[in-house]
Amino acid sequence: MLLLAIETSCDETSVALLRDGCVMANAVSSQVELHEEYGGVVPELASREHLRNLMPVARQALDQAGMTPGELDAVAATRGPGLPGALLVGLRAAQGMAFALAKPFIGVHHHEAHLYSPWTGGEPLSLALDDFQPNVSLIVSGGHTMLVHVGAPLEHRVLGGTVDDAAGECFDKAAKLIGLPYPGGPELDRLASEGNGSVHNFPRPKLRDDSHDFSFSGLKTAVRYFIRDNPGVLEDGQQLRDLCAGVQEAIVDVLVAKTIRAAKKMGAKCVTASGGVTCNSGLRAALKAACARDGFALRLANPILCTDNAAMVGMAAHLRLANDGETTPLDAEIEPNWKLIILN
Ligand code: KG4
Ligand code: ZN
């Protein structure tokens, strides 16, 4: 079974090829430079860039895998959630390919794709669910922050999510206030690794709240006021690194504490994490330490699968096809606000 998968839900244009669930190619073209001068993703520009890049990226993936479109057995694409114009580009292209080749099409839920990336590993990358354990999964990126209970493959229940900014958005907005280039998360991470986080005590929103929800806009505001009142910290290398470490620790503390609490509450023995912020070195280290302390198995998505990519979309499509063979109609619409609900 040769499957081509497309991801265009936000600012990464990606095409992957999977043979029987093994990743043969995963080409990704990031739009970071395009959106940099605006300090965030501009939806209209993102759609146009996907239109420009999709076919060259598809060609790159096919060449890398040494395959031709005529060999495909199925085509998948992210159907939602995401930016409407951006989703339309990938979905319609995939449906067009499936139509022309008379092959099945699978519309994939973007969060479902993230959920299985921690179970993807090896060389070539493939989905390994033999040692699957019921888990609480943290999906944490620039667009989403949520906790999901995965009782069995394809049995999900959303426990909670952010009520305002996503954690990655908070990293990026705090980094912007600090004067770091967009997207600031990775650079803030680098500076934080040389800083002392205990110099500052930024708010840990909803840390003690019993719900599984998150809120990060108050933390961003606290950083804004701190910089307004202490502009000198940005001029001093060590103070700036300490500030970065303080912001990162506040975000990481909340993410880790709430993930562990949810896992305990759900009686899960395993914790997983995926999404762009899962690249954060502080978050990876803190999740490892907390899971070791509390006796949870931990599966972190491989950093190359953390940020948006089509390989994870292909994995989710493969899983659905293998599960019940259900496909998606060729005239199915995009679902920009698609909720990941109780699926079973
Ligand atoms: O999953 P992703 O590619 O796209 C979505 O937003 O859906 O995640 C991108 C986000 C950005 O906010 C970026 O700053 C953040 O992930 N990010 C990081 C790190 N690497 C990526 N945040 C903190 N530390 C990092 N090392
Ligand atoms: Zn994502």
Side-chain angles (χ1 to χ4, degrees):
M1 156 69 75
L2 185 64
L3 176 102
L4 182 143
I6 299 178
E7 155 64 35
T8 61
S9 67
C10 189
D11 61 341
E12 262 96 24
T13 314
S14 180
V15 177
L17 281 151
L18 285 83
R19 186 182 290 287
D20 300 325
C22 290
V23 181
M24 311 308 288
N26 183 32
V28 183
S29 166
S30 169
Q31 302 181 2
V32 161
E33 282 172 23
L34 172 72
H35 300 290
E36 190 170 4
E37 69 171 295
Y38 306 98
V41 178
V42 183
E44 176 67 18
L45 295 183
S47 316
R48 287 166 187 259
E49 194 69 359
H50 285 310
L51 277 173
R52 224 182 327 267
N53 289 339
L54 186 55
M55 287 307 142
V57 172
R59 170 56 54 210
Q60 187 189 337
L62 284 161
D63 288 350
Q64 207 177 317
M67 285 155 192
T68 58
E71 293 174 84
L72 298 175
D73 298 303
V75 186
T78 304
R79 188 176 172 194
L83 301 172
L87 287 167
L88 268 176
V89 177
L91 187 95
R92 286 293 184 241
Q95 288 168 326
M97 285 183 205
F99 176 79
L101 296 166
K103 297 293 179 191
F105 165 70
I106 306 105
V108 172
H109 194 295
H110 182 82
H111 297 162
E112 189 169 291
H114 275 299
L115 280 182
Y116 295 96
S117 53
W119 300 93
T120 301
E123 182 60 49
L125 288 167
S126 59
L127 194 59
L129 290 176
D130 293 347
D131 49 354
F132 177 88
Q133 297 180 66
N135 61 82
V136 162
S137 192
L138 173 70
I139 304 179
V140 67
S141 73
H144 10 273
T145 300
M146 58 203 292
L147 283 168
V148 183
H149 180 250
V150 189
L154 299 176
E155 273 188 40
H156 323 131
R157 184 148 81 91
V158 176
L159 303 172
T162 183
V163 296
D164 42 51
D165 292 354
E169 207 176 340
C170 184
F171 266 112
D172 294 343
K173 287 178 176 170
K176 190 175 176 190
L177 292 167
I178 294 170
L180 306 179
Y182 170 86
E187 181 64 2
L188 194 146
D189 182 5
R190 198 183 62 72
L191 292 167
S193 68
E194 297 160 3
N196 176 1
S198 48
V199 170
H200 302 283
N201 189 18
F202 286 114
R204 269 76 169 149
K206 288 193 177 289
L207 182 66
R208 300 196 193 295
D209 181 321
D210 220 20
S211 80
H212 298 302
D213 288 332
F214 298 90
S215 164
F216 288 106
S217 69
L219 171 56
K220 172 196 65 194
T221 307
V223 174
R224 171 175 293 124
Y225 288 152
F226 176 81
I227 292 173
R228 182 196 64 189
D229 299 340
N230 304 275
V233 295
L234 302 186
E235 311 301 325
D236 178 285
Q238 193 51 46
Q239 287 192 54
L240 187 139
R241 290 189 282 273
D242 292 345
L243 174 60
C244 290
V247 172
Q248 179 165 302
E249 272 192 27
I251 298 173
V252 167
D253 270 3
V254 176
L255 293 174
V256 174
K258 301 207 74 153
T259 304
I260 297 289
R261 190 185 308 152
K264 286 182 180 165
K265 210 162 170 178
M266 299 308 296
K269 300 272 182 290
C270 177
V271 165
T272 73
S274 62
V277 178
T278 307
C279 291
N280 184 267
S281 57
L283 177 62
R284 294 180 88 85
L287 277 173
K288 276 181 197 156
C291 287
R293 183 193 64 216
D294 290 340
F296 291 105
L298 174 67
R299 296 190 75 115
L300 296 169
N302 180 322
I304 60 163
L305 294 178
C306 281
T307 47
D308 288 345
N309 65 87
M312 68 179 189
V313 175
M315 288 297 172
H318 172 77
L319 190 59
R320 288 233 156 247
L321 272 178
N323 180 53
D324 58 9
E326 196 182 322
T327 60
T328 310
L330 286 183
D331 59 353
E333 301 281 348
I334 54 165
E335 295 277 0
N337 300 310
W338 204 1
K339 298 273 180 277
L340 185 68
I341 46 162
I342 305 171
L343 296 173
N344 243 318

